[in-house]
């Protein structure tokens, strides 16, 4: 069975795709947003447990006003168009990040859909909007300090305080658009993610490329620091703990 359960995607390349065709960047976002539903459906069909999509970063606030407002309205359109399908397919929907600057109407669509789907056991679909990985970690630490003044936080306690802890570690991070960087996405959750960088600009990404990336990456051997394939980071930590005691090396 594939060890890929949670896929995260940096949907990049809309602007360059449009500009290379003598269109505005905004047009690239419109075209890019139109393929999101296909990818969500494919993830669901493939039986993935979680799909997290990077739609707007904390850094994207620095973009021109019309680009930012277009991205807001495309998110709203997507939610209105997909609401029924999300519910029908028992998808658990979440938005992570600070979206308090979105128009109130969009915020209430988000909270309503999150609430309606919170007990669903299907695909965990998360949109990262107004999201930054550093911000998420700082938020988790601050929340812990407030509830436990003067105490040290450990990895499990931090993990529980992330914005969508139920999605868990990322197994595969895909970035379209040709650049090879993380751009402040899921920094904690990607500790041991497989990375895949596609040259395809997001508006041209499609189901078949998605499927073939998953097939390619499912065959990668994930060792999590061991010398042989291992199932997960949790599994490797358990082995490491037992070994530390068993080897009993103490201070050498
Ligand atoms: C990704 O496409 C969408 C967002 C960042 C919101 P870009 O707008 O970054 O497109 P490029 O990378 O400039 O081509
Ligand atoms: C990352 O893409 C953010 C999203 C896809 C939402 P960017 O285009 O903002 O990232 P950089 O600026 O190339 O790092
Ligand atoms: Mg970009």
């Amino acid at each position: 069975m594939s060890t890929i359960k949670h896929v995260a995607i940096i949907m990049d390349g809309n602007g360059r795709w449009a500009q290379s065709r003598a269109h505005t960047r905004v047009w690239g976002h419109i075209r890019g947003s139109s393929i999101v539903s296909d990818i969500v459906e494919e993830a669901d069909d493939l039986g993935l447990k979680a799909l997290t999509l990077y739609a707007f970063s904390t850094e994207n606030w620095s973009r021109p006003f019309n680009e930012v407002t277009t991205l807001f309205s495309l998110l709203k359109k997507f939610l209105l168009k997909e609401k029924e399908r999300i519910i029908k397919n028992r998808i658990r929907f979440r938005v992570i990040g600070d979206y308090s600057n979105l128009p109130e109407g969009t915020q209430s669509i988000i909270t309503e859909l999150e609430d309606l789907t919170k007990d669903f056991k299907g695909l965990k679909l998360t949109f990262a909007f107004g999201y930054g990985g550093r911000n998420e970690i700082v938020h988790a630490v601050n929340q812990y300090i407030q509830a436990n003044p003067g105490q040290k936080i450990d990895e499990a306690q931090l993990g529980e305080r992330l914005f969508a802890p139920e999605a868990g570690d990322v197994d595969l991070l895909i970035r379209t658009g040709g650049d090879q960087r993380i751009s402040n996405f899921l920094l904690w959750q990607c500790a041991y993610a497989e990375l895949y960088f596609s040259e395809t600009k997001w508006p041209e990404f499609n189901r078949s490329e998605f499927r073939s990336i998953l097939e390619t990456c499912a065959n990668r051997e994930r060792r999590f620091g061991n010398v042989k394939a291992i199932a997960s980071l949790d599994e490797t930590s358990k082995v490491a703990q037992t070994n530390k005691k068993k080897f009993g090396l103490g201070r050498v």
Side-chain angles (χ1 to χ4, degrees), residues 11-17 25 29 55-56 60 63 67 71:
M11 307 181 289
D12 194 29
N14 293 347
R16 280 167 288 157
W17 182 82
R25 295 179 51 84
H29 294 313
F56 189 85
N60 291 149
R63 294 191 177 199
E67 194 168 332
L71 291 164

Side-chain angles (χ1 to χ4, degrees), residues 71-84:
L71 291 164
F72 286 0
S73 67
L74 288 171
L75 174 68
K76 184 177 178 189
K77 263 196 193 149
F78 174 87
L79 297 175
L80 292 175
K81 183 164 86 71
E82 293 301 318
K83 184 179 165 190
E84 292 312 318

Side-chain angles (χ1 to χ4, degrees), residues 41-245:
E41 203 171 79
E42 190 66 24
D44 203 16
D45 290 352
L46 289 167
L48 291 180
K49 299 275 176 262
L51 176 70
T52 304
L53 300 173
Y54 208 4
F56 189 85
S57 72
T58 44
E59 290 71 34
N60 291 149
W61 277 110
S62 63
R63 294 191 177 199
F65 182 77
N66 73 324
E67 194 168 332
V68 171
T69 51
T70 299
L71 291 164
F72 286 0
S73 67
L74 288 171
L75 174 68
K76 184 177 178 189
K77 263 196 193 149
F78 174 87
L79 297 175
L80 292 175
K81 183 164 86 71
E82 293 301 318
K83 184 179 165 190
E84 292 312 318
R85 199 148 48 135
I86 286 173
I87 294 169
K88 187 172 142 262
N89 292 328
R90 318 293 288 172
I91 290 174
R92 176 166 179 186
F93 176 78
R94 293 284 298 260
V95 174
I96 54 172
D98 177 7
Y99 55 87
S100 59
N101 286 298
L102 283 175
E104 271 178 27
T106 313
Q107 290 188 44
S108 38
I109 298 171
I110 292 171
T111 45
E112 188 200 4
L113 196 52
E114 284 186 335
D115 197 48
L116 279 168
T117 64
K118 68 180 189 305
D119 297 321
F120 287 174
K121 302 282 181 261
L123 176 74
K124 295 178 177 74
L125 172 64
T126 306
F127 268 65
F129 204 98
Y131 173 88
R134 286 188 170 186
N135 173 264
E136 181 180 33
I137 293 168
V138 169
H139 177 270
V141 172
N142 281 337
Q143 206 188 58
Y144 182 82
I145 293 172
Q146 212 168 14
N148 307 279
Q151 294 195 41
K152 283 186 181 168
I153 189 168
D154 66 23
E155 289 186 18
Q157 288 158 337
L158 198 149
E160 283 160 18
R161 285 165 179 80
L162 296 172
F163 293 139
E166 71 285 350
D169 284 337
V170 172
D171 299 304
L172 169 63
L173 173 69
I174 300 170
R175 182 179 186 132
T176 62
D179 287 324
Q180 303 196 355
R181 55 178 169 264
I182 311 272
S183 300
N184 203 11
F185 191 37
L186 302 175
L187 299 178
W188 183 270
Q189 299 87 332
C190 282
Y192 249 103
E194 293 296 316
L195 306 178
Y196 189 99
F197 299 102
S198 165
E199 288 299 319
T200 308
K201 306 283 188 291
W202 179 253
E204 288 196 338
F205 195 67
N206 57 30
R207 284 169 180 261
S208 81
E209 182 171 354
F210 186 41
R211 192 179 275 265
S212 95
I213 293 171
L214 284 167
E215 278 164 14
T216 306
C217 294
N219 292 326
R220 290 186 186 170
E221 184 175 272
R222 302 183 72 194
R223 295 187 291 278
F224 297 100
N226 204 306
V227 293
K228 59 172 198 272
I230 256 200
S232 67
L233 195 50
D234 271 355
E235 185 64 33
T236 214
S237 305
K238 279 183 209 144
V239 178
Q241 284 300 343
T242 321
N243 279 355
K244 272 198 235 167
K245 285 187 201 135

